[in-house]
Amino acid sequence: MKLTYQQFELTLKHTFTIAKFSRTSTPVMLLQVEHEGVVGYGEASMVPYMGESYETANEFLSKVDAGQFQYPFDFGSIISYLDSIAPGNPAIKAGIDIALHDLDGKLQGKPCWELLGTDPAKMPITSFTIGIDTKEVIIQKLKEAADFKIIKVKLGRDNDKEIIQTIRSVTNVPLFVDANQGWTDRKQSLDLVYWLKEQGVVLIEQPMLKTDVDSNAWLTEHSPLPLIGDEAVQRLADVEKASGVYHGINIKLMKAAGMYEAKQMLNKARELGLKVMIGCMTETSCATLAAAALAPQCDWADLDGPFLTSNNPYQLPQFTDGKWVLNNAPGLGIAV
């Protein structure tokens, strides 16, 4: 078993701004695991706020013994091994996990979605994300998103209503809202939620600080819209903590350390009666297809990474009527 990797700077089409920061690119690590001449591809998208970087990724990977990845793979044991190397580092762990899942599918001659028990016919519509920006740029982004059936909008500053009104001057498609912990006052937040419902918003992600459990729980109790925990829900242990605080959770492979744990999180959420959104960071087609293999098991999808970037090193997967189309190729079905 041979593990190789290289750094890749993924460039965004537009400056991406959310409640607390902006960026123009995302550092990515592209990974390959080779076994008996067959190669599995993985990806770690290391958005700065998660604390990972090329330096942390290289340091972690230097400690990984690929000999630990014995085939057939025991993914539970593999993630335990990776966690034993160092805490945190979920994105680079996800990159390894994704590559091993791709390799596993290729060695078995089956697509990853089939091995995960997914029905491709149940693929949800995915949203297209609009970051916080000027009125003119938001309108330009909406033109680029004309083929999408749901728009996800970043809020969390003092011009939230203005942004929504700008969007509504162009399109009436349903909206997802992500406040990225930007709201602080309970009563004002609840008033805004009711107003957003009138504007055709379907759900709201992480309205208040993830550490303010009481305020999030209060808002969830009174909200007419589903509230989804995002920054508050990283890995499996966080899912149970989200019960009673949010209506649902947002699973991202880069937070969950990969496909294996994301599936465990999904199962746990269902046991607890929580709704599930599957999301992404700014990613290439590789990590997007990994998440898409689980998306039909979720209620909502926000898998727009390849559409937000300008130098995707892989071919764009098939996308029809606002949905990713899962193919029958072994593994992830990625075209290099």
Side-chain angles (χ1 to χ4, degrees):
M1 201 77 63
K2 181 182 178 184
L3 172 66
T4 56
Y5 45 90
Q6 58 271 349
Q7 298 175 185
F8 184 81
E9 194 73 16
L10 191 58
T11 305
L12 294 160
K13 291 180 180 177
H14 297 279
T15 299
F16 191 68
T17 300
I18 65 173
K20 298 183 183 297
F21 63 85
S22 300
R23 69 179 190 275
T24 57
S25 65
T26 302
V28 167
M29 194 71 82
L30 302 176
L31 301 95
Q32 302 85 38
V33 179
E34 182 178 349
H35 179 63
E36 297 181 349
V38 181
V39 179
Y41 293 89
E43 171 187 356
S45 175
M46 300 174 291
V47 295
Y49 78 85
M50 291 292 290
E52 291 183 75
S53 64
Y54 292 135
E55 291 73 25
T56 63
N58 281 307
E59 182 180 359
F60 185 89
L61 289 166
S62 71
K63 300 174 183 176
V64 174
D65 174 12
Q68 295 283 335
F69 310 142
Q70 299 293 319
Y71 190 78
F73 301 127
D74 178 344
F75 286 103
S77 295
I78 288 170
I79 194 60
S80 294
Y81 163 66
L82 295 177
D83 282 338
S84 74
I85 294 174
N89 298 277
I92 199 63
K93 292 172 183 176
I96 295 170
D97 171 276
I98 291 168
L100 291 173
H101 273 85
D102 186 35
L103 178 59
D104 187 38
K106 289 172 177 174
L107 291 172
Q108 293 195 54
K110 295 180 179 181
C112 287
W113 58 259
E114 181 180 335
L115 297 176
L116 291 165
T118 292
D119 179 359
K122 295 181 179 179
M123 179 68 73
I125 293 170
T126 201
S127 58
F128 180 92
T129 304
I130 303 289
I132 296 171
D133 222 313
T134 64
K135 180 177 181 178
E136 293 73 23
V137 174
I138 288 173
I139 290 173
Q140 175 59 36
K141 290 177 179 179
L142 290 168
K143 291 177 181 177
E144 296 174 12
D147 293 336
F148 285 79
K149 300 182 183 299
I150 298 175
I151 295 296
K152 175 174 169 177
V153 56
K154 296 288 189 176
L155 299 182
R157 293 189 176 177
D158 56 4
N159 62 338
D160 288 351
K161 286 190 175 183
E162 180 183 337
I163 290 174
I164 297 297
Q165 288 164 346
T166 297
I167 292 171
R168 282 292 173 246
S169 72
V170 177
T171 178
N172 288 315
V173 299
L175 303 177
F176 295 164
V177 158
D178 188 355
N180 284 118
Q181 309 183 77
W183 298 348
T184 56
D185 182 272
R186 292 184 184 187
K187 181 62 168 58
Q188 289 179 2
S189 298
L190 185 59
D191 289 345
L192 186 55
V193 171
Y194 272 94
W195 183 83
L196 290 170
K197 185 175 188 295
E198 294 173 357
Q199 306 308 310
V201 170
V202 175
L203 59 83
I204 299 171
E205 293 180 59
Q206 202 61 60
M208 311 185 83
L209 284 172
K210 65 179 183 179
T211 53
D212 192 352
V213 175
D214 290 344
S215 290
N216 281 301
W218 181 90
L219 196 58
T220 294
E221 181 182 357
H222 295 89
S223 173
L225 291 174
L227 302 187
I228 310 301
D230 183 2
E231 285 88 349
V233 183
Q234 307 283 328
R235 297 191 59 178
L236 180 59
D238 297 318
V239 179
E240 195 154 358
K241 298 174 189 174
S243 182
V245 182
Y246 305 96
H247 296 109
I249 63 170
N250 185 358
I251 297 173
K252 294 178 181 173
L253 302 191
M254 297 302 134
K255 297 187 301 180
M259 300 169 72
Y260 172 78
E261 189 154 322
K263 173 62 173 170
Q264 310 311 306
M265 292 174 70
L266 204 165
N267 292 344
K268 174 58 73 171
R270 294 310 190 199
E271 288 175 16
L272 296 168
L274 291 166
K275 294 284 189 179
V276 178
M277 168 186 260
I278 191 156
C280 66
M281 305 301 186
T282 43
E283 300 168 354
T284 76
S285 298
C286 180
T288 301
L289 279 169
L294 282 167
Q297 300 183 40
C298 304
D299 300 288
W300 306 286
D302 174 40
L303 302 177
D304 58 351
F307 295 107
L308 303 177
T309 59
S310 60
N311 61 337
N312 184 357
Y314 306 107
Q315 289 185 27
L316 190 69
Q318 186 179 351
F319 190 79
T320 305
D321 294 328
K323 301 178 181 180
W324 293 110
V325 179
L326 297 174
N327 62 43
N328 292 313
L332 294 174
I334 190 171
V336 180

